[in-house]
Amino acid sequence: MSGASPVDVLLIGGGVAAAAAAEELRAHGFEGSVLLASRELEPPYHRPPITKALLTGRCEREALALREAGWWEEQRVELRTRAPVMSLDVATRSAKLTTKEEIRFGKALIATGAMVRRLRLEGAALDGIHYLRAPGNAMSLRADLAGAEHVVVVGGSFIGTEVAASLTALGKRCTLVMQEQLPLERPFGVAVGRFVADLLVRHGVQVLGSEDVQAFEGEGRVQAVVTLSGRRLPADVVVVGAGAIPDATLAAKAGLAIGESGGIRCDARLETGAPGVYAAGDVCEYDSVLHRRAVRIEHEAHAIAQGRTAARNMLGAATPHADVPYFWAELGDWAMLEYVGTAGAWDEERVEGDPAGGSFTTWYLREGMITGALTVGRPEDLERARARALVAAGHT
Ligand SMILES: Cc1cc2nc3c(=O)[nH]c(=O)nc-3n(C[C@H](O)[C@H](O)[C@H](O)COP(=O)(O)OP(=O)(O)OC[C@H]3O[C@@H](n4cnc5c(N)ncnc54)[C@H](O)[C@@H]3O)c2cc1C
């Protein structure tokens, strides 16, 4: 290790969590050296437009960049793209990049994000079946859509519903097929599920709930999606949104504990079992003081907030991560859904407003206390939801 280059802070991962940590270190006056090592081809970028503006061609991939090109140099953050960390030794505080460089670090953040969950079904390798995680995936899908008429979207969560809305807006005939009865029903209940299903159907999407995809059919290229109940859905293109798997490979190889969700186990301050080594974002399973249990959350604002908390703790703050999670989703230009809270396992939902009129809030309660809310068209409810979630967690 004598030839290894020393850095004060090593940020592993090229997403918003690592980038937010870099920004927070400098915002707090940290003068030491910071190296961000990323597997990506490009500097850190926003993923949410991948299912929305980038897919519909309302923006190009350059518009997704988190920072202007000169920002990294100005902030004295050494940015290495195409330079994944291949191995990590938390005892000697050193890392090896695939570029063969060895780095010795004072503190490190692992923010390696998540990967798409791929369906291992008959016909899964046919051409025309797409997954969305990086901008290049949206560009390939865009190119493949040119001659396509029928698109089958698999999965009733955010990726699936957003893609169905975006592709319908592009004039494609979309069928959304999912295991649950209604889209988004599992995490957010029947009222939200019905609202989303009605909205999609009104705009021409065929919504098929309680269906399991069994196989993809075609010769070389996909032609149909076959379900367990025996439906054969014609498809020129298929998009799968079947969830994400935390990318904890590097951490597991380094001997760090992995939690039940597959994320890196961290304490409430986002520190792993190795002192000075933190995790943040989609890959981080932490003891949440607000949820009062271990959780892992996959939303952009949460990843940013955790990158900031980890950075402050690297500088000695030693505070738990206690930001109430927030996220948004957009179904074309038709509706924006926003959520604030720690709802998780809620046991009661209360609906205020008028879902049919496109303006309502679902409040989630656990043991009689509000723990979160999802709203469409009533953003003023979000502050109340945040305050109530803090009360429910005993943080006022
Ligand atoms: C298509 C899509 C749409 C989304 N839309 C929304 C939305 O509307 N609203 C919302 O709130 N959230 C949305 N999300 C979720 C949000 O984008 C994620 O929660 C967020 O990107 C997580 O950031 P992260 O930094 O933790 O991980 P990532 O963005 O996954 O970044 C992790 C990075 O680490 C890199 N990496 C992995 N291993 C290594 C290694 N060994 N060495 C170096 N680098 C490595 C990866 O290449 C990647 O660049 C969306 C996600 C996707 C995929």
Side-chain angles (χ1 to χ4, degrees):
M1 256 301 136
S2 56
S5 325
V7 293
D8 294 310
V9 175
L10 172 64
L11 304 172
I12 306 170
V16 290
E23 186 174 24
E24 191 77 353
L25 288 168
R26 292 301 184 223
H28 282 259
F30 180 65
E31 290 290 340
S33 52
V34 179
L35 169 68
L36 189 151
S38 164
R39 186 162 65 191
E40 297 280 330
L41 306 180
E42 52 225 311
Y45 55 82
H46 289 290
R47 291 191 195 276
I50 291 170
T51 42
K52 312 171 188 79
L54 185 64
L55 186 54
T56 53
R58 280 184 290 130
C59 78
E60 292 307 321
R61 61 194 291 173
E62 299 72 37
L64 273 52
L66 270 178
R67 300 281 167 240
E68 306 225 321
W71 186 88
W72 302 95
E73 212 179 313
E74 255 166 48
Q75 295 295 317
R76 290 170 298 109
V77 175
E78 194 179 341
L79 174 63
R80 298 277 181 84
T81 50
R82 303 169 197 237
V85 174
M86 197 168 66
S87 65
L88 184 65
D89 185 331
V90 292
T92 58
R93 297 204 182 189
S94 60
K96 269 190 201 147
L97 309 190
T98 49
T99 55
K100 305 272 186 287
E101 260 171 295
E102 297 192 2
I103 310 285
R104 247 184 314 112
F105 57 85
K107 300 216 164 123
L109 174 71
I110 309 176
T112 45
M115 311 170 278
V116 289
R117 186 186 300 282
R118 291 186 177 267
L119 297 181
R120 313 253 172 243
L121 301 172
E122 193 187 324
L126 290 168
D127 287 345
I129 301 176
H130 295 259
Y131 292 80
L132 290 172
R133 181 85 199 165
N137 305 137
M139 303 312 283
S140 319
L141 174 55
R142 260 166 68 169
D144 210 16
L145 283 170
E149 197 186 329
H150 292 273
V151 180
V152 174
V153 181
V154 181
S157 197
F158 288 113
I159 302 275
T161 51
E162 288 189 340
V163 167
S166 293
L167 299 190
T168 302
L170 288 180
K172 305 298 170 190
R173 287 172 61 188
C174 288
T175 300
L176 180 69
V177 52
M178 65 203 149
Q179 290 173 326
E180 53 276 54
Q181 208 176 353
L182 295 165
L184 299 174
E185 181 191 3
R186 277 186 198 150
F188 300 112
V190 174
V192 170
R194 254 194 219 120
F195 167 78
V196 173
D198 289 350
L199 188 70
L200 292 172
V201 168
R202 238 182 10 255
H203 286 88
V205 179
Q206 183 187 18
V207 176
L208 299 177
S210 308
E211 282 282 11
D212 251 305
V213 171
Q214 192 181 27
F216 302 105
E217 275 183 8
E219 302 220 345
R221 187 178 173 88
V222 72
Q223 288 173 324
V225 173
V226 179
T227 70
L228 256 185
S229 71
R231 284 184 203 259
R232 193 177 173 282
L233 308 166
D236 304 312
V237 165
V238 172
V239 187
V240 181
I245 304 170
D247 191 347
T249 325
L250 179 72
K253 272 201 318 197
L256 295 173
I258 304 300
E260 270 181 27
S261 71
I264 305 169
R265 276 300 277 130
C266 291
D267 65 15
R269 296 169 301 120
L270 310 184
E271 196 166 20
T272 67
V277 178
Y278 295 77
D282 285 5
V283 78
C284 171
E285 180 181 308
Y286 71 113
D287 290 324
S288 168
V289 291
L290 298 182
H291 298 79
R292 296 188 193 158
R293 61 191 161 86
V295 293
R296 192 180 65 78
I297 294 170
E298 291 173 5
H299 297 307
E300 190 183 58
H302 180 80
I304 293 171
Q306 282 205 325
R308 290 188 181 137
T309 300
R312 289 193 299 274
N313 286 340
M314 283 181 181
L315 298 179
T319 48
H321 181 72
D323 290 38
V324 181
Y326 162 82
F327 75 81
W328 81 102
E330 276 170 13
L331 299 176
D333 292 335
W334 317 328
M336 173 153 162
L337 284 63
E338 287 181 281
Y339 169 86
V340 159
T342 58
W346 45 272
D347 50 36
E348 185 188 341
E349 59 178 313
R350 279 187 204 153
V351 181
E352 263 176 31
D354 175 21
S359 173
F360 73 102
T361 297
T362 298
W363 298 92
Y364 301 98
L365 290 85
R366 195 166 51 231
E367 293 165 14
M369 295 187 86
I370 291 175
T371 54
L374 186 145
T375 188
V376 177
R378 292 163 53 122
E380 64 279 8
D381 285 343
L382 294 173
E383 261 325 295
R384 200 175 130 215
R386 181 172 284 112
R388 299 299 293 268
L390 286 169
V391 170
H395 278 245
T396 46

